[in-house]
């Protein structure tokens, strides 16, 4: 059990002010083996939903129901009119509850929504949804020091009945949360990657730059193909020429070469918030940040390679298998020094152990 000083909202002459409560409130944590949790679904108490109908969003509905009733002719089911997000919530070293980069995720959901023609979730509504769902599930925010976090999954779905191709008339925006364990149970370890050319996950001018379910369905075969051959991660090249590095199936590609942080620029990759944050940290550490097309022939010259995303922050890659040849980086399964430094700095910002100098954390008052 941890003590958290709650802030309460009081109204003075109509002006709402937040004040720190005098007494501390106890949040009795759920009885879970926090450090043993997988990256999977654990039931929590509530989720939050908003319904879009007749051109407007409803107020938030906080519910314990894990199921979503919907019409069998919903376009999200037939035509994949669906987009999602993923972000994490932490308890900091000083007992605050913080969400990492809410606004960036809200903006990205808007970009995905524009592309697949769903209504936009206003940034403030997205933020409110995160705050509400975390407050309602405060006992599932893993304690500081366990390495675990609360993963939030926002999604927007086209639900109204429709059969001909066209956008739905009704939508649901839903956020659920689930506690997830530390990604690296046995410490930060490097993995092997396979360049898959047999299947693509995205197309030029397609939706590779949007976080939509269809990309994941398209990437499943390549992912399983890689795993069957012993590669935990697969790397895709640009779908037009198969010459430039795009990204891994669910994470961006970054490379370290001397004092440079290099990451591909391409129209068919998802703009990772983790990548953007790491690049900013690298720049802050005095590194040169290069966002440009990365020719696959260039991988030979890289010192360190990583797969980056919310789930693991950085998965160091020590081998890339490409057209019958192994390209190796670093030292066996030991992660390289620069990626380790970047990983530590980002991880510590999220848990309040390093200064949040870029204003990335949203404090959630319980
Ligand atoms: C979500 C995702 C990432 C990682 O993005 P983050 O914002 O860092 O979590 C990378 N690639 C794809 C295809 C993704 O869907």
């Amino acid at each position: 059990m941890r003590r958290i000083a709650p802030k309460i909202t009081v109204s003075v002459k109509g002006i709402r002010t937040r004040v720190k409560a005098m007494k501390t409130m106890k949040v009795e944590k759920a009885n879970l083996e926090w450090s043993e949790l997988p990256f999977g679904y654990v039931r929590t108490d509530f989720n939050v939903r908003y319904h879009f109908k007749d051109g407007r969003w409803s107020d938030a509905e906080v519910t314990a129901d894990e199921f979503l009733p919907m019409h069998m002719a919903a376009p999200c089911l037939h035509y994949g009119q669906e987009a999602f997000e993923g972000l994490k919530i932490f308890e900091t070293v000083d007992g605050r509850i913080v969400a990492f980069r809410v606004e960036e995720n809200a903006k990205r959901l808007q970009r995905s929504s524009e592309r697949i023609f769903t209504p936009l979730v206003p940034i403030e509504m997205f933020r409110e949804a995160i705050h509400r769902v975390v407050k309602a599930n405060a006992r599932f925010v893993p304690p500081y020091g366990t390495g675990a976090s609360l993963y939030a999954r926002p999604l927007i779905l086209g639900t109204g009945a429709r059969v001909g191709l066209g956008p739905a008339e009704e939508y649901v925006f839903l956020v659920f949360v689930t506690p997830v364990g530390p990604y690296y149970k046995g410490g930060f370890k490097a993995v092997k990657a396979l360049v898959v050319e047999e299947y693509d996950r995205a197309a030029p001018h397609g939706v590779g730059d949007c976080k939509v379910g269809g990309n994941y369905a398209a990437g499943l075969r390549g992912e399983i193909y890689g795993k069957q051959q012993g590669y935990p991660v697969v790397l895709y090249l640009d779908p037009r020429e198969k010459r430039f590095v795009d990204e891994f199936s669910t994470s961006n590609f970054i490379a370290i070469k001397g004092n440079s942080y290099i990451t591909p620029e391409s129209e068919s990759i998802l703009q990772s918030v983790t990548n953007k944050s790491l690049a900013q940290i690298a720049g802050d550490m005095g590194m040169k940040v290069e966002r440009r097309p990365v020719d696959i022939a260039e991988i030979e010259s890289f010192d360190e390679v990583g797969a980056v995303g919310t789930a693991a922050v950085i998965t160091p890659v020590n081998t890339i298998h490409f057209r019958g040849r192994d390209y190796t980086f670093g030292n066996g399964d030991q992660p390289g020094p620069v990626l380790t430094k970047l990983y530590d700095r980002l991880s510590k910002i999220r848990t309040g152990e390093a200064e949040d100098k870029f204003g990335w954390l949203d404090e959630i008052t319980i």
Side-chain angles (χ1 to χ4, degrees):
M1 194 182 300
R2 300 181 67 85
R3 282 167 186 279
I4 293 167
K7 284 187 181 158
I8 49 176
T9 303
V10 292
S11 191
V12 184
K13 288 184 191 152
I15 301 164
R16 287 158 73 80
T17 337
R18 289 192 172 268
V19 294
K20 243 195 180 122
M22 299 305 287
K23 276 198 290 188
T24 55
M25 188 177 74
K26 289 174 191 170
V27 174
E28 177 109 41
K29 295 278 186 188
N31 185 20
L32 293 170
E33 283 296 329
W34 305 102
S35 348
E36 299 305 317
L37 290 172
F39 187 76
Y41 180 75
V42 171
R43 189 185 176 156
T44 57
D45 294 333
F46 300 103
N47 60 85
V48 57
R49 302 169 186 197
Y50 298 73
H51 302 272
F52 187 89
K53 206 176 166 181
D54 302 325
R56 57 182 292 270
W57 286 107
S58 70
D59 288 338
E61 174 202 347
V62 179
T63 172
D65 191 353
E66 290 173 282
F67 293 86
L68 189 64
M70 88 173 74
H71 198 282
M72 62 187 173
C76 67
L77 301 176
H78 300 252
Y79 304 137
Q81 199 194 11
E82 180 271 348
F84 66 99
E85 276 301 325
L87 64 154
K88 282 182 167 179
I89 292 99
F90 299 84
E91 183 175 285
T92 62
V93 62
D94 54 351
R96 291 172 301 131
I97 305 297
V98 296
F100 186 70
R101 308 218 70 176
V102 174
E103 192 162 330
E104 279 300 316
N105 285 272
K107 285 189 198 154
R108 189 170 64 189
L109 183 65
Q110 289 194 337
R111 282 199 300 275
S112 300
S113 289
E114 274 173 357
R115 180 70 172 80
I116 62 160
F117 249 88
T118 78
L120 300 191
V121 170
I123 308 279
E124 280 317 308
M125 184 175 128
F126 187 99
R127 191 187 303 281
E128 178 196 69
I130 299 292
H131 282 241
R132 283 189 107 110
V133 74
V134 173
K135 273 184 211 211
N137 295 291
R139 68 192 189 97
F140 291 99
V141 179
Y144 166 78
T146 55
S149 58
L150 189 69
Y151 182 74
R153 169 54 58 87
L155 56 153
I156 183 165
L157 306 164
T159 53
R162 166 150 212 150
V163 175
L165 179 61
E169 271 157 26
E170 289 172 26
Y171 294 83
V172 174
F173 170 60
L174 180 153
V175 186
F176 71 79
V177 288
T178 189
V180 295
Y183 202 84
Y184 296 104
K185 296 195 171 64
F188 186 55
K189 278 239 181 68
V191 300
K192 294 196 294 180
L194 173 69
V195 176
V196 171
E197 295 182 272
E198 291 81 351
Y199 310 102
D200 289 326
R201 63 166 280 283
H205 307 300
V207 289
D209 59 341
C210 299
K211 211 165 174 79
V212 297
N215 289 342
Y216 278 64
L220 267 178
R221 187 162 284 279
E223 180 79 6
I224 288 165
Y225 175 79
K227 290 218 160 74
Q228 282 169 344
Q229 294 178 64
Y231 296 90
V233 292
V234 298
L235 180 61
Y236 291 100
L237 301 182
D238 78 280
R240 195 191 300 277
E241 290 186 74
K242 294 274 193 302
R243 173 176 165 198
F244 299 101
V245 175
D246 247 7
E247 65 171 322
F248 298 99
S249 44
T250 61
S251 47
N252 275 186
F253 177 98
I254 66 168
I256 304 299
K257 181 177 174 178
N259 193 40
S260 290
Y261 177 106
I262 303 165
T263 194
E265 184 169 74
S266 156
E267 63 183 15
S268 48
I269 64 181
L270 200 268
Q271 300 296 321
S272 150
V273 175
T274 313
N275 191 1
K276 191 172 177 182
S277 309
L278 289 168
Q280 201 165 337
I281 291 173
D284 190 59
M285 290 182 347
M287 294 182 73
K288 181 173 169 222
V289 176
E290 300 178 27
R291 203 175 280 279
R292 57 167 174 81
V294 175
D295 196 308
I296 183 74
E298 214 185 317
I299 58 172
E300 211 161 7
S301 68
F302 294 149
D303 303 327
E304 300 176 42
V305 169
V308 305
T310 295
V313 181
I314 303 177
T315 301
V317 172
N318 58 11
T319 304
I320 295 180
H321 189 79
F322 174 56
R323 296 189 186 161
R325 211 186 128 181
D326 276 343
Y327 296 83
T328 58
F329 315 94
N331 181 14
D333 65 2
Q334 289 307 109
V338 180
L339 292 185
T340 303
K341 226 160 115 180
L342 290 168
Y343 174 85
D344 283 343
R345 174 95 180 270
L346 184 65
S347 304
K348 286 185 172 149
I349 290 175
R350 302 197 302 185
T351 51
E353 292 161 275
E355 189 202 347
D356 177 25
K357 69 189 275 190
F358 308 110
W360 289 342
L361 305 180
D362 232 64
E363 188 168 339
I364 299 171
T365 50
I366 302 301

